[in-house]
Amino acid sequence: MNLVVCWIMMVIALNGNMILHLRLVKVGADGINSLVRKRMNIEPFTINYNQMGLVATVELSDSGDNSVAWQRFLPTGPVALLPLNDTTSSLVWTHTPAQAKELQSMPPQEFVDALNDAFYKDYPKDTMTTNLMDTLSTFCSAKTIRQYPPAIVAVKDKSRACFPLGFGHAPSYVAQGAALVGDAAHRVHPLAGQGVNLGFGDVKCLTQVLADAVYSGYPIGDKNALLKYERERLMKNVPIMFGIHGLQQLYSTTFSPVVMLRSLGLQITQNLPPLKKIFMQQAMG
Ligand SMILES: Cc1cc2nc3c(=O)[nH]c(=O)nc-3n(C[C@H](O)[C@H](O)[C@H](O)COP(=O)(O)OP(=O)(O)OC[C@H]3O[C@@H](n4cnc5c(N)ncnc54)[C@H](O)[C@@H]3O)c2cc1C
Ligand SMILES: *[C@@H]1O[C@H](CO)[C@@H](O)[C@H](O)[C@H]1NC(C)=O
């Protein structure tokens, strides 16, 4: 979002003499290190995942239909391809900071090989889990359709960049005359692709709440209206944020019972269309 700080003003004319009476709402949309948040004296709760997200623009070999997003959960972290157009996708690849830096600076062809490996290489599977999943698939009649992500042929020059990944949540989104939206209020791991959606949800809710307050004759910075915004968004954001944090934790372990549970969870999701639909609707905003 490009909007950083927006000032909403009210002008009131009295007795024929123009008296400008300004009431302001300061909206902090200035990202994870929000200065507006600091000025509001709000200290966020944070967890550092000690991971970096390497992003890049990559070229694909097949020039067919490129409309599906791919994500693979590797022991090092998830790797995801998001379609841009028929031949180009956007990459988000989670790694430890040292590995991410190495991948960022390696020669392009070596990088492309490492990336194709990440999508196609067989990793040692957890035996206990494999056995259970095999047994389970004999009970579930659903046919497993094998599909493969597209092969990557090149990485766009100078498109590689690394960003630290973490969890962050402001205990409060509002103060007198000010409100936080987007990453200034909450920061999540990109594994569920929800960051932007949470921010859009904030903006939609804040504009609605402010409009309602003004139409009902309340001053625009009214604390009660701002608190209504905060309540509504906390109710929506917090469960999603903890869900994403839970998935991050779930996929950061190789402990057998956990690996088994998460595979089982995915299998159950796959075989319960209503549940799958809910997740898909969330992802599509
Ligand atoms: C590696 C990675 C991959 C991601 N992938 C996805 C994804 O696939 N899908 C998804 O939905 N989300 C994803 N996200 C999250 C998404 O990028 C953020 O949720 C989103 O950008 C937040 O938008 P925002 O406007 O709140 O903050 P930002 O995008 O951070 O924008 C804040 C803006 O404020 C400016 N600014 C800050 N301070 C000041 C100042 N003092 N004065 C002037 N300007 C200032 C900054 O320059 C910036 O332009 C990903 C994040 C990372 C790190
Ligand atoms: C796809 O997007 C890339 C990167 O933005 C661009 O360079 C390329 O020309 C586009 N290709 C098509 C077929 O639109």
Side-chain angles (χ1 to χ4, degrees):
M1 279 176 258
N2 286 322
L3 175 88
V4 177
V5 177
C6 90
W7 301 91
I8 302 168
M9 299 175 215
M10 257 175 48
V11 180
I12 302 169
L14 289 174
N15 283 343
N17 299 319
M18 283 291 284
I19 295 176
L20 296 183
H21 188 99
L22 303 180
R23 290 188 193 271
L24 308 169
V25 177
K26 200 188 215 182
V27 180
D30 47 353
I32 58 171
N33 296 313
S34 171
L35 200 64
V36 177
R37 189 182 63 215
K38 257 179 224 128
R39 294 280 156 79
M40 290 160 77
N41 279 325
I42 294 173
E43 189 61 44
F45 167 76
T46 58
I47 300 170
N48 182 352
Y49 289 141
N50 196 29
Q51 285 180 330
M52 277 197 142
L54 182 140
V55 298
T57 305
V58 294
E59 252 175 68
L60 315 173
S61 67
D62 337 295
S63 57
D65 168 60
N66 180 33
S67 56
V68 176
W70 293 91
Q71 178 154 252
R72 188 177 190 199
F73 289 90
L74 301 173
T76 43
V79 56
L81 279 181
L82 311 157
L84 290 177
N85 60 31
D86 276 357
T87 51
T88 319
S89 280
S90 181
L91 168 79
V92 186
W93 196 358
T94 301
H95 265 291
T96 61
Q99 286 168 322
K101 290 280 174 201
E102 195 189 328
L103 285 162
Q104 187 186 358
S105 55
M106 71 173 46
Q109 195 50 51
E110 239 178 85
F111 175 79
V112 168
D113 292 345
L115 181 56
N116 281 316
D117 256 10
F119 271 108
Y120 286 100
K121 203 169 121 185
D122 274 331
Y123 284 85
K125 291 214 175 88
D126 184 275
T127 1
M128 214 157 110
T129 306
T130 311
N131 290 342
L132 177 89
M133 298 311 285
D134 284 350
T135 317
L136 195 73
S137 53
T138 58
F139 287 115
C140 302
S141 57
K143 255 190 248 147
T144 320
I145 305 160
R146 281 164 75 88
Q147 289 174 311
Y148 297 98
I152 294 107
V153 288
V155 57
K156 199 172 169 211
D157 201 25
K158 299 200 176 76
S159 70
R160 281 178 276 175
C162 289
F163 298 92
L165 302 178
F167 175 98
H169 193 241
S172 169
Y173 294 0
V174 300
Q176 188 58 47
L180 297 172
V181 298
D183 279 21
H186 40 67
R187 175 190 185 195
V188 290
H189 196 287
L191 68 82
Q194 289 299 313
V196 171
N197 283 340
L198 294 180
F200 285 164
D202 293 345
V203 172
K204 191 169 166 224
C205 175
L206 182 61
T207 43
Q208 191 59 55
V209 164
L210 290 178
D212 287 351
V214 171
Y215 281 127
S216 317
Y218 291 99
I220 194 155
D222 186 63
K223 191 75 191 281
N224 285 328
L226 292 176
L227 283 172
K228 183 160 182 263
Y229 158 71
E230 177 181 277
R231 261 194 318 275
E232 276 187 29
R233 290 315 293 165
L234 282 176
M235 241 156 40
K236 287 265 161 58
N237 292 344
V238 171
I240 296 173
M241 292 186 71
F242 281 97
I244 297 170
H245 176 66
L247 281 175
Q248 196 280 335
Q249 297 288 296
L250 202 59
Y251 281 102
S252 300
T253 179
T254 48
F255 181 54
S256 266
V258 177
V259 173
M260 199 156 91
L261 276 176
R262 79 185 176 209
S263 306
L264 202 59
L266 279 184
Q267 185 77 15
I268 290 168
T269 311
Q270 185 65 24
N271 286 301
L272 281 178
L275 202 60
K276 196 174 165 188
K277 206 169 144 211
I278 290 171
F279 278 119
M280 282 168 68
Q281 273 167 352
Q282 275 297 341
M284 291 188 289

